[in-house]
Amino acid sequence: MDLKKINSSLQMSSVETPHMETISHLPSSMDLLIQDSPNSFTSPRRKLLPASIEERTMKKEDTVQGKKQKIKTVFSQTQLYVLNDRFQRQKYLSLQQMQELANILKLSYKQFKTWFQNQRMKCMRCQKNNCPKNSNSVTQNSSATTEYTGFYSYHWGYLMNTFGNLPKWRNQTWNSQSWSNHSWNSRNN
DNA sequence: TTTCCATTCCGA
DNA sequence: TCGGAATGGAAA
């Protein structure tokens, strides 16, 4: 994978992030680059639709013959790697963190939030069932790691500023959950 | 608004 | 068929 390409597209994306809530209206260059990487999924996928189109397609009211139409996003290896890495360190993110990381990953805030929610559920279920921990779908994928390294090194200043320093916690999520004090498990006991 | 939770339903 | 992204509802 060409990190330069990623980086340049990331550079663009991080600079021009006109809207937070949803999705870039651009053809999501990073997605295209990453998801097309030989290492992720090679088969042609229609989920490569620009997210904005997807959103439009799956508006609540949109139905196909009375059925709700969903479009299932398939996240790229790199996106999953970053998401998992973040999740392992922090189960709950602030609104700002979610928005910013979502922007970096070229995901919508909603997608990002949903992923974290689903991960938490998965994690809880797993623990209830005493699953061997770390059931991450993307654990040590070498190429994802490589991309991720470049990705993070490029964004490191930004990420550190955004996350590492835990800037201003806009909402009470983190505090109320007190994740710094109690483990993930404590909720389920 | 956020969360959890059950559920739906797409894509591999 | 199954994993998991997305949805919707209830509660805080």
Side-chain angles (χ1 to χ4, degrees):
Chain A
M1 187 58 187
D2 192 344
L3 278 179
K4 283 178 190 169
K5 282 184 189 171
I6 295 182
N7 286 343
S8 60
S9 64
L10 284 174
Q11 191 166 19
M12 276 178 51
S13 69
S14 59
V15 169
E16 50 106 41
T17 49
H19 33 65
M20 304 295 276
E21 156 60 39
T22 30
I23 316 186
S24 59
H25 52 287
L26 296 171
S28 189
S29 51
M30 181 183 171
D31 273 1
L32 292 175
L33 285 165
I34 291 177
Q35 296 192 358
D36 245 1
S37 74
N39 202 36
S40 38
F41 310 107
T42 46
S43 57
R45 294 160 173 241
R46 78 183 185 84
K47 54 139 174 116
L48 293 179
L49 282 173
S52 57
I53 293 178
E54 292 185 17
E55 273 257 310
R56 254 180 278 133
T57 315
M58 57 197 235
K59 281 238 167 83
K60 268 185 210 166
E61 296 77 26
D62 274 1
T63 55
V64 173
Q65 293 173 348
K67 274 175 71 178
K68 252 181 261 173
Q69 189 183 25
K70 288 184 192 174
I71 293 183
K72 182 173 173 173
T73 307
V74 180
F75 296 122
S76 70
Q77 298 281 309
T78 306
Q79 286 170 325
L80 285 173
Y81 196 96
V82 175
L83 285 164
N84 276 309
D85 180 77
R86 193 68 210 166
F87 181 75
Q88 286 187 350
R89 286 183 285 137
Q90 198 177 339
K91 262 65 178 178
Y92 292 86
L93 303 185
S94 71
L95 173 70
Q96 191 187 9
Q97 285 179 307
M98 285 196 281
Q99 285 176 330
E100 288 177 346
L101 193 44
N103 267 326
I104 292 173
L105 292 177
K106 302 299 274 180
L107 295 170
S108 69
Y109 165 69
K110 194 175 174 184
Q111 283 177 310
F112 191 92
K113 193 174 72 173
T114 301
W115 188 90
F116 260 73
Q117 181 53 39
N118 285 327
Q119 271 320 284
R120 275 182 234 124
M121 291 298 102
K122 185 175 156 188
C123 199
M124 279 204 281
R125 253 179 277 123
C126 215
Q127 291 190 344
K128 277 182 187 169
N129 301 333
N130 284 327
C131 298
K133 65 171 185 176
N134 219 345
S135 54
N136 290 335
S137 48
V138 178
T139 42
Q140 295 298 334
N141 180 310
S142 60
S143 120
T145 310
T146 308
E147 289 174 12
Y148 170 79
T149 307
F151 176 86
Y152 253 29
S153 60
Y154 179 83
H155 279 284
W156 189 241
Y158 180 59
L159 290 168
M160 276 307 286
N161 202 23
T162 310
F163 311 124
N165 293 341
L166 300 176
K168 303 162 197 161
W169 295 90
R170 182 209 70 104
N171 63 19
Q172 65 283 51
T173 306
W174 177 263
N175 292 333
S176 64
Q177 299 290 347
S178 301
W179 283 104
S180 54
N181 293 335
H182 73 173
S183 72
W184 167 248
N185 291 331
S186 62
R187 272 184 125 250
N188 306 316
N189 294 337

